[in-house]
Amino acid sequence: MSGQEDIRSHSCRRTRHFNQRLDTMPAAVFSQTKHVFGPLDTRQIQVPRVLVDSAALDSAGVYPHFGTRPEGLTPAEAAVRLAEYGPNVLAGGQQTGVWRLFWRSVLNPLVILLMVLSAVSFASGDLRAGSVMVCMIVLGVGLKLIQEARADSAAAKLKQMISVTATVVRNGADQEVRVSQLVPGDVVKLAAGDMIPGDLRLVETRDLFVSQGALTGESCSVEKFAAERSPVAAPLELTSVVFLGTSVESGSATAVVVATGRETYLGGMAESLSEEPPPTAFDQGVTRFTWLMLRFLLVMAPLVFVLNGLMRRDWTGAFFFAVAVAVGLTPEMLPMIVTVCLSKGALAMSRQKVIVKHAGAIQNLGAMDILCVDKTGTLTMDRVILEKHCDVRLKPSDEVLALAYLNSHFQTGLKNVLDRAILAHTETHVHANIPENAKVDEIPFDFERRVMSVVVRTREGRDCLICKGAPEAIFPRCQNFVVDGQFLPMDHAHIDDLKQEHEQLSADGFRVLAVASREFAARESAHPYSKLDECELTLDGYVAFLDPPKDSARPALQALQAHGVQVKVITGDNDLVARKICKEVGLSTEFVLLGSDVEALTDEGLADSAQRTTLFARVSPAHKQRIIKALRSRGHVVGFMGDGINDAPALRVADVGISVDTAVDIAKASADMILLEKSLLVLDAGVLEGRKVFANVLKYVRMGASSNFGNMCSMLGASLFVPFLPMAPIQILANNMLYDLSQTPIPTDDVDFDQLQKPHPWDIRKLTRFILFIGPCSSLFDYSTFLVMLYGFNCWDTSTPLAAAHSASLFQSAWFVESLLTQTLIIHVIRTNQIPFLQSRPSWPLLSMSVAIMATAIAIPFTPLGGLLGLVPLPAAYWPMLVATLVGYVGLTQLVKTWLLKLKRI
C-alpha cells in the first residue's frame, strides 16, 4: 500500500443518493495501489472547459477570474447570476406525457399499415371492412398505451437530485443556502460529510480527501489540494477541482463555484443520457419480424390482386380482396400481445423484488447470455470485516487484536470503515479488557505521519502507546518486532522478510494495517505525548480486512451458468482483490483484462478478447461502455448491473440495464429494471421470468405468422381455379379478428421446462423456416376442403346468378369454419415442443378461449351475424369431413414440427 493510501483515505464511502447527507453504507474493497483511469470518452461526456482551465490558475487568481472575492458575492450579485445561469438542478421527476406514449404506440409499422388499409377501405366505400380494421387498431394501440402509462407512472418519478444545503460565504458571512440556489462565483466552505454542490475550484484545503467513486469507479477517496499537482492529468484526475456528485470524506476546504446544473460534468452526463438509447436485441427482433411479414405481404397481396383481376375481370372486387389478404397477413395483435406478455411479466417480477421500468427489458433479460456485474455489493457483502489478526509470521494473535481494538476504541476522530470493522468484530469483546485500560492521551491522525496513536494506562500502572497505520508508515518507526515472545531487531535482513509477509496478505486481496506499541513510565497530564514519541516501537503484527463474498454469490452464479448466462466481473478495483473474490465464488480468472489493456486494444481486438475474459479490473467508466458495446457487436445479448454515476453510460448501451434501489438517481434513471434486493439470486429468477415472456411472445409470432401465411397460400391457389372469391373480404377480417382473440390468453400460458434452460434470442432464419414449413401444412387441408366443397357439395355450379351466389356462400362458409377451427386448434400444437395435451397442457384461460372461439366459429353460420357476414348454415355431411380434416392437420403439423426440432432447424 502506498504511503498516501492511509487509514483515512480508505474510508471508502460510496455516494448513494444525492438528496441525502452521506451517512450511507461504505464501500468495502480497498485497492493495494491507486487505480489508474484513462480519460473518459469525451464524445459521450464533456468535462466543462472552464473547470479544466481553472486548474491552471493559482489560488489567488481564482477569485478575480470568476468575478468574486474571498468575502463572497452579495445577495444582489447572486440574484443576477441565478437569473443568468438558472437554478443548480439537473432533472425533475417528470413522467413521459400521455401524448408521447400514444405517439410511441402508433409509430409501429403494423399499426401504420392497418391505418392505411382502413383508410383505403373507407375511401373506397367498404365501411364494414374499414370499421373492423379500426377496431383492431383501437384494441392493439389502446391496450399498449394503458400498460405503458401504468408502468411509466409507477417507475418514472425521480426526485430532484439536489435538495440539500451548502455553506456559502455571502457578504463576508457564512450562510446555509439551498444547493439549487448556488451560482458560479459563490464561495463555498466544505467539511467532512458534505456533498460537493457543484463543479468547484479549490482555493484553500486542509487535509482534504474526496470520495469520487460514483464518478470514477475508484473505491477509495483521493486527496485534493489548492494548488494543481497534475496539470497534464485527465480531467477527473485533476487535484485542484472537485465535481458535483462527489463528497468530502475528511478534512475541510474553501472553493469557488465554477459550474452549476447542466453545465457541470454530471450535468453533461445527464444530457447524454437524455438521448434515445440504442435499440435492444428485443426491439431489433420485433422490427426484423415485422419487416419479414411486410415483405411477405408486399409479394402476396399484389399477386392475389393481379390473379383475381385477371381470372374474374372484376378489378374492384379483386382490390378489396387483396386489401383483406393484406390485413390477413398482418399480425396486427402483435403489439398488444407483446405488451400484455411484458406487463404480466413485470407484475410477476415485482413479486420477485424487481421493478421493471421498461417492459421490453423483461424479454432482453430472458434472452441475455452475458451478464456484466460489479464486484462490490453484488458478489461481496459491501461491508468491510476484520478477517485476520496475526503476528508478523501471520499466525493468529489475540494480543494484536486487543491492541487494534484499544486503538480504534479510544480514538476520538472520525472512525473510518476499518475502525468500525475492528470494533464490530465479535472476538474483540472477549480479548480486550477495556475497564482495566484507561485512556491517557491521543496523537491524532494527520496526513504527513499517516498513522494514529492512543496511549492507555495498563493495570500495572504503565503507559502503552498503540500505533496503527499502513505497514510502510509503521516500519520506519519500529526498533524491533516480537515473535513468540522474543524481541528481534528491525534490521535490513529482517525488514525484507517482514515485508514479504505483509505483502503476501496484500497479494491475497486483503487491506493490511500494521499494529505497533511501546511502553512508557506513567506520565502526568502536564507532560502530554506527541508524535515525537512514535519511535522505537515494537511491531506486534497485522490486522487484515476484506469485503467477503456473499453466501448467496456462489449458488447464484451456478444457477445463472446452468441457465446459460455467462457472468463477467467489471470493476474499478485492483485485480488482486478481484481475483480473490472471483476465486471464492467459483469464477475463473484465467483471462483477466486491466483497464490499461482495454485502452490499448482496438474495438475489434477488444471484442475478441472480451468474449473469453471473465474479469476486467481497474477499468474506467469509458472502458465499461466499450466492453459492453464490444460484446454486443459479437451478437451477444448483454446485461449490465451497476449502481454508480460512472455506470450510467454502460447501463444505457446494454441490452438490459439493471440497477438497485440504493443506487444513485442517474443510475436508476438509466436502468431498465431496478432490484429491491442486490442479489444475483433475484436476478436469476428474473431471467427465468423473462424467458417465459419471450416464449409466450414467440408462440403468438409463430402461430400468427405461419397460420396467416398458410391461409394466404390457400387464397393464392384458390384464386387460380375457384370461380368466385374463396372468402369475402369482410369474412377474412372477421376470421382474422376471431383468431387473434383466441390468442389473447397466451400471456397466461405455461412454459415448458426445456424452454427455460437456455437463452432464446430472436432468430429470424429459424422463424422463417418455421413459417415456410408449418404454414403450407394448413394449405394442404384447405385444398382438400376446397375439393370436397367443389365436387362433393357441387359448389362448381355457377349456371345461374342464384346458383352462383349459393355456391359461393356455401364454399365461403365451409372454408371460414374450417380455417378458423384449424388455426385455433393448432395453437396447442405450436405452443410446445412436446406432445400437446399429453406431455404439455395449456393454461385454463388459453384452453377456455380456444373452446369458446371454436364454438363461435361453428355457430356463426347459423346466426344473424353470419348472415351479415355472408355466411350460410352448413349441411350435416360437412361436419364429419371437418373432423377428419382437423385430426389430419394436427397430426401432420406435429410430425413436421418434431422433424424440424430433431434437425435443430427451428
Side-chain angles (χ1 to χ4, degrees):
M1 179 69 65
S2 68
Q4 291 183 347
E5 291 184 318
D6 48 78
I7 302 172
R8 296 230 180 254
S9 71
H10 286 84
S11 295
C12 299
R13 292 194 188 111
R14 178 176 294 170
T15 304
R16 295 292 191 194
H17 293 287
F18 297 118
N19 54 0
Q20 299 176 2
R21 291 286 183 177
L22 292 186
D23 54 355
T24 55
M25 182 181 296
V29 178
F30 305 99
S31 300
Q32 181 171 316
T33 58
K34 281 192 174 180
H35 306 317
V36 179
F37 291 92
L40 282 174
D41 185 354
T42 54
R43 291 169 297 178
Q44 298 289 334
I45 308 159
Q46 293 290 340
V47 174
R49 187 71 245 173
V50 64
L51 192 66
V52 177
D53 293 340
S54 71
L57 302 170
D58 58 30
S59 298
V62 173
Y63 291 111
H65 184 79
F66 292 103
T68 186
R69 60 196 74 85
E71 296 78 23
L73 301 172
T74 66
E77 290 173 328
V80 170
R81 296 193 185 192
L82 183 63
E84 179 181 355
Y85 295 103
N88 184 26
V89 296
L90 297 183
Q94 297 179 352
Q95 295 177 231
T96 305
V98 174
W99 285 109
R100 185 175 178 184
L101 288 175
F102 174 76
W103 190 246
R104 188 188 301 167
S105 301
V106 170
L107 285 181
N108 179 290
L110 300 178
V111 175
I112 293 172
L113 176 64
L114 276 179
M115 292 172 67
V116 171
L117 294 176
S118 65
V120 170
S121 297
F122 281 123
S124 54
D126 193 347
L127 300 182
R128 289 187 302 174
S131 300
V132 171
M133 285 184 244
V134 169
C135 290
M136 292 177 176
I137 294 170
V138 171
L139 185 62
V141 171
L143 187 52
K144 180 178 174 64
L145 176 63
I146 291 170
Q147 295 293 342
E148 288 204 352
R150 286 177 178 174
D152 185 67
S153 176
K157 291 184 177 180
L158 296 175
K159 297 177 181 178
Q160 286 190 349
M161 293 185 62
I162 304 172
S163 58
V164 294
T165 61
T167 303
V168 180
V169 181
R170 286 186 178 169
N171 261 353
D174 293 355
Q175 303 177 20
E176 288 297 315
V177 176
R178 288 184 63 84
V179 171
S180 60
Q181 302 301 303
L182 258 63
V183 296
D186 264 328
V187 177
V188 177
K189 290 191 175 181
L190 303 173
D194 282 349
M195 294 290 303
I196 304 297
D199 286 351
L200 316 178
R201 172 60 165 89
L202 300 168
V203 290
E204 295 178 23
T205 61
R206 180 180 174 82
D207 298 332
L208 181 67
F209 276 74
V210 174
S211 174
Q212 57 183 36
L215 289 180
T216 64
E218 293 173 288
S219 62
C220 300
S221 52
V222 294
E223 190 168 9
K224 297 287 186 174
F225 309 93
E228 181 56 51
R229 300 193 177 187
S230 303
V232 295
L236 286 178
E237 295 176 355
L238 292 170
T239 60
S240 64
V241 296
V242 288
F243 296 89
L244 174 66
T246 62
S247 61
V248 178
E249 190 66 41
S250 61
S252 60
T254 302
V256 174
V257 178
V258 174
T260 59
R262 294 188 177 273
E263 298 303 315
T264 61
Y265 169 80
L266 186 57
M269 181 179 288
E271 288 287 347
S272 71
L273 296 178
S274 66
E275 301 171 1
E276 285 295 320
T280 65
F282 181 67
D283 299 328
Q284 293 169 348
V286 171
T287 300
R288 286 197 297 268
F289 167 70
T290 299
W291 285 109
L292 172 67
M293 296 308 297
L294 290 179
R295 284 194 291 272
F296 277 133
L297 186 151
L298 291 173
V299 172
M300 297 290 286
L303 195 56
V304 168
F305 170 66
V306 171
L307 285 176
N308 275 278
L310 292 175
M311 295 291 293
R312 297 177 180 86
R313 302 297 178 183
D314 180 7
W315 291 97
T316 302
F319 173 77
F320 286 120
F321 185 66
V323 169
V325 167
V327 175
L329 264 176
T330 304
E332 64 279 341
M333 299 300 283
L334 178 62
M336 186 269 286
I337 291 289
V338 168
T339 300
V340 175
C341 282
L342 295 176
S343 299
K344 179 178 179 292
L347 184 62
M349 291 182 72
S350 69
R351 293 192 287 267
Q352 299 287 346
K353 299 183 179 180
V354 181
I355 303 302
V356 178
K357 288 180 57 189
H358 304 134
I362 300 175
Q363 189 280 327
N364 289 326
L365 187 63
M368 176 179 70
D369 62 335
I370 291 179
L371 172 64
C372 298
V373 300
D374 187 21
K375 171 179 59 61
T376 306
T378 304
L379 301 181
T380 67
M381 297 173 66
D382 202 7
R383 176 170 58 86
V384 177
I385 65 169
L386 177 63
E387 187 78 7
K388 292 179 181 290
H389 44 88
C390 53
D391 61 19
V392 294
R393 294 288 173 83
L394 306 187
K395 294 180 180 179
S397 170
D398 293 337
E399 289 78 10
V400 170
L401 177 60
L403 290 171
Y405 182 85
L406 289 168
N407 179 282
S408 297
H409 177 77
F410 283 121
Q411 69 157 305
T412 58
L414 180 67
K415 288 180 171 61
N416 59 36
V417 291
L418 304 186
D419 292 317
R420 294 196 292 269
I422 293 172
L423 297 175
H425 195 281
T426 55
E427 294 181 9
T428 55
H429 299 290
V430 177
H431 301 291
N433 195 358
I434 304 303
E436 297 183 13
N437 293 274
K439 179 178 177 181
V440 174
D441 204 351
E442 177 179 358
I443 309 172
F445 176 90
D446 67 54
F447 293 95
E448 293 180 2
R449 294 166 31 250
R450 308 290 183 178
V451 299
M452 78 83 52
S453 302
V454 299
V455 182
V456 298
R457 186 153 295 162
T458 66
R459 54 187 168 184
E460 291 83 11
R462 293 182 62 81
D463 288 353
C464 180
L465 182 147
I466 306 170
C467 187
K468 180 173 94 251
E472 51 268 43
I474 293 289
F475 276 26
R477 293 173 166 81
C478 292
Q479 179 176 311
N480 49 39
F481 63 95
V482 61
V483 177
D484 297 329
Q486 294 185 351
F487 291 84
L488 302 175
M490 291 280 286
D491 53 28
H492 290 292
H494 286 112
I495 286 178
D496 290 339
D497 292 338
L498 291 171
K499 284 184 177 180
Q500 288 181 5
E501 298 292 347
H502 83 73
E503 285 173 356
Q504 180 181 333
L505 285 174
S506 296
D508 285 338
F510 291 101
R511 166 71 174 105
V512 183
L513 297 180
V515 179
S517 61
R518 178 184 176 185
E519 286 199 353
F520 295 86
R523 294 185 186 178
E524 299 298 328
S525 58
H527 302 283
Y529 289 86
S530 71
K531 59 186 179 182
L532 297 177
D533 294 307
E534 293 175 329
C535 62
E536 300 180 4
L537 303 178
T538 297
L539 178 63
D540 295 284
Y542 311 106
V543 283
F545 305 84
L546 188 68
D547 179 12
K550 293 179 178 177
D551 294 337
S552 62
R554 182 181 284 268
L557 290 174
Q558 290 173 344
L560 285 167
Q561 289 168 351
H563 292 139
V565 180
Q566 300 178 55
V567 178
K568 298 180 184 290
V569 178
I570 305 179
T571 179
D573 290 317
N574 76 76
D575 54 314
L576 296 176
V577 175
R579 282 178 188 269
K580 177 177 177 62
I581 296 298
C582 288
K583 187 181 297 183
E584 291 193 12
V585 298
L587 285 178
S588 170
T589 56
E590 181 180 358
F591 298 104
V592 178
L593 274 183
L594 301 182
S596 55
D597 301 325
V598 174
E599 193 72 32
L601 289 170
T602 63
D603 290 343
E604 188 72 18
L606 178 59
D608 292 335
S609 299
Q611 291 192 95
R612 62 175 180 268
T613 300
T614 305
L615 172 61
F616 302 86
R618 295 183 180 179
V619 295
S620 72
H623 295 153
K624 292 182 182 182
Q625 194 176 36
R626 280 193 68 203
I627 292 166
I628 301 299
K629 287 182 176 180
L631 290 169
R632 289 191 65 188
S633 72
R634 286 293 187 265
H636 295 287
V637 180
V638 184
F640 179 77
M641 187 172 177
D643 59 3
I645 296 173
N646 60 308
D647 293 322
L651 286 167
R652 294 287 281 187
V653 299
D655 287 296
V656 53
I658 306 157
S659 193
V660 293
D661 65 334
T662 54
V664 300
D665 284 353
I666 275 194
K668 289 191 288 186
S670 303
D672 300 302
M673 54 183 61
I674 299 171
L675 307 185
L676 299 182
E677 179 181 325
K678 196 172 184 180
S679 168
L680 290 179
L681 283 173
V682 172
L683 202 56
D684 182 59
V687 166
L688 297 183
E689 193 60 45
R691 291 180 185 173
K692 290 179 184 178
V693 168
F694 179 68
N696 284 333
V697 170
L698 192 60
K699 288 174 189 177
Y700 170 79
V701 168
R702 284 179 166 181
M703 295 169 192
S706 61
S707 179
N708 289 350
F709 179 72
N711 278 345
M712 296 312 106
C713 288
S714 300
M715 289 184 182
L716 190 62
S719 300
L720 296 174
F721 62 88
V722 176
F724 39 74
L725 289 178
M727 197 181 292
I730 190 63
Q731 295 167 355
I732 294 174
L733 295 174
N735 182 295
N736 199 49
M737 192 170 185
L738 286 171
Y739 173 58
D740 282 334
L741 285 174
S742 72
Q743 297 183 87
T744 54
I746 285 177
T748 70
D749 194 23
D750 300 320
V751 177
D752 296 338
F753 177 80
D754 62 292
Q755 296 184 48
L756 302 178
Q757 296 311 297
K758 62 180 182 179
H760 294 283
W762 284 94
D763 191 328
I764 293 300
R765 289 177 299 177
K766 287 185 176 182
L767 183 58
T768 304
R769 281 195 292 267
F770 189 94
I771 294 171
L772 294 177
F773 279 93
I774 299 296
C777 290
S778 66
S779 296
L780 293 177
F781 291 91
D782 285 341
Y783 288 137
S784 69
T785 300
F786 296 164
L787 295 176
V788 169
M789 296 309 297
L790 290 171
Y791 292 100
F793 291 90
N794 196 31
C795 288
W796 279 119
D797 185 8
T798 57
S799 55
T800 66
L802 184 61
H806 175 74
S807 296
S809 296
L810 185 62
F811 183 96
Q812 292 167 353
S813 299
W815 190 31
F816 179 91
V817 174
E818 181 265 344
S819 172
L820 189 51
L821 262 62
T822 53
Q823 288 183 96
T824 304
L825 187 60
I826 209 62
I827 290 174
H828 300 277
V829 178
I830 295 176
R831 61 166 291 276
T832 177
N833 292 337
Q834 303 180 43
I835 299 175
F837 300 108
L838 298 179
Q839 296 177 327
S840 177
R841 295 181 177 86
S843 66
W844 278 108
L846 180 60
L847 183 60
S848 301
M849 182 61 81
S850 297
V851 171
I853 293 299
M854 292 175 73
T856 301
I858 293 171
I860 277 183
F862 301 93
T863 65
L865 177 61
L868 292 175
L869 296 176
L871 303 176
V872 298
L874 292 163
Y878 168 79
W879 301 107
M881 182 274 297
L882 177 63
V883 172
T885 298
L886 294 177
V887 172
Y889 178 38
V890 169
L892 178 63
T893 305
Q894 178 67 24
L895 285 174
V896 174
K897 182 193 70 176
T898 304
W899 174 68
L900 290 172
L901 286 170
K902 195 170 185 179
L903 295 177
K904 298 182 179 179
R905 306 301 290 173
I906 58 172

